[in-house]
Amino acid sequence: MSSPAFLSEPRVSVVGSFAELIATPFSDGVNALCWPRTLVGDFAEVVARLGLGQGITTLDAGMLRALPLSAAGKAAVEAMLADHHLLTEQGLEPVLNGINGYVQPEETGPVRTDVCSFHVDSATAEVDTWLCTYHGASSEGLPNEQAIRRVDVPGTRALLLKVYGGADDEGFHEWMNDHYYDLHYAPLPDAKPYSFGIGCLWRVATLHDGCPVPPCIHRAPDPVRGQQRLLLIS
């Protein structure tokens, strides 16, 4: 089996434990930390028993433990709940989601702004994004050097200015920020996105004042027919 592509990414650093994942600072351009794991359990059985409706379903311990599961299915549930507990103990607010497609906005304007578009997360305080895909198509990362902000593409910026109806000034920049347009990125022609993998727990840098590295560009997978997901996010 080939090694995961992220192992060779200079902006990704691999750690060997949850304690190391928490304690390792972002530095020297590294904006994504990964704890690779092979989790025990039948996560496909959990998805099958959930019978997910369209969109995103928030999962809790009561719902998951009430499912009629085999021993392997129960092991998968406990693995997810163990991660949820680890993050909660750190003062975070993790959420377990069952995802059966994403409801796309009817009107996105000149720039796509849904979670399936490459984007960075932003915050008003020092905080990171945590992610783990347990089943289904995995989240993806994109090296910063292989991307351009969509608002910096001349044609797209011209369309945005037309919608805005004003000059390319501070007001325009604030308007783009208010609509999250400036957080989304387009891959460059030779870009090579990398998969976050299954079972790996990630901590990625967000855009906030004082962040020592560029924020991590990532996305949810574009909807894949028939691939329902189990995801932890905080």
Side-chain angles (χ1 to χ4, degrees):
M1 183 180 295
S2 60
S3 299
F6 62 75
L7 291 178
S8 62
E9 289 294 337
R11 290 196 178 276
V12 176
S13 182
V14 172
V15 301
S17 67
F18 183 70
E20 192 178 355
L21 189 61
I22 295 169
T24 302
F26 293 120
S27 63
D28 299 324
V30 171
N31 59 14
L33 301 170
C34 175
W35 177 24
R37 307 174 301 173
T38 301
L39 299 178
V40 175
D42 190 341
F43 295 90
E45 182 188 3
V46 176
V47 168
R49 290 296 188 182
L50 281 169
L52 296 170
Q54 190 69 23
I56 301 175
T57 301
T58 300
L59 310 175
D60 60 35
M63 178 192 304
L64 290 168
R65 286 178 171 149
L67 296 173
L69 296 168
S70 67
K74 291 178 180 178
V77 163
E78 294 308 317
M80 292 189 292
L81 294 178
D83 283 347
H84 189 279
H85 180 69
L86 283 173
L87 296 190
T88 301
E89 281 193 320
Q90 298 301 315
L92 303 173
E93 298 180 354
V95 177
L96 288 167
N97 287 327
I99 302 172
N100 185 13
Y102 293 92
V103 178
Q104 306 294 353
E106 294 182 4
E107 188 73 33
T108 60
V111 173
R112 183 178 175 181
T113 57
D114 60 88
V115 295
C116 297
S117 164
F118 279 113
H119 64 281
V120 299
D121 297 330
S122 67
T124 57
E126 184 178 348
V127 66
D128 307 320
T129 295
W130 296 72
L131 291 165
C132 180
T133 302
Y134 300 99
H135 178 81
S138 172
S139 303
E140 291 184 310
L142 182 65
N144 298 70
E145 298 77 13
Q146 298 179 19
I148 181 173
R149 287 196 314 170
R150 292 188 182 275
V151 299
D152 294 327
V153 176
T156 302
R157 198 175 189 89
L159 289 172
L160 287 169
L161 279 166
K162 185 176 180 180
V163 174
Y164 174 64
D168 193 340
D169 55 15
E170 187 61 32
F172 176 57
H173 297 171
E174 291 179 2
W175 176 81
M176 289 193 296
N177 184 259
D178 289 343
H179 290 81
Y180 310 108
Y181 294 142
D182 56 350
L183 299 180
H184 287 259
Y185 288 74
L188 293 175
D190 295 326
K192 295 181 179 179
Y194 57 90
S195 171
F196 279 20
I198 300 298
C200 305
L201 185 58
W202 289 77
R203 176 180 144 228
V204 303
T206 65
L207 179 65
H208 62 78
D209 289 342
C211 186
V213 295
C216 177
I217 302 171
H218 63 286
R219 73 171 183 180
D222 255 331
V224 180
R225 190 179 300 277
Q227 286 219 16
Q228 299 178 15
R229 303 180 70 206
L230 292 175
L231 176 74
L232 172 77
I233 186 167
S234 177

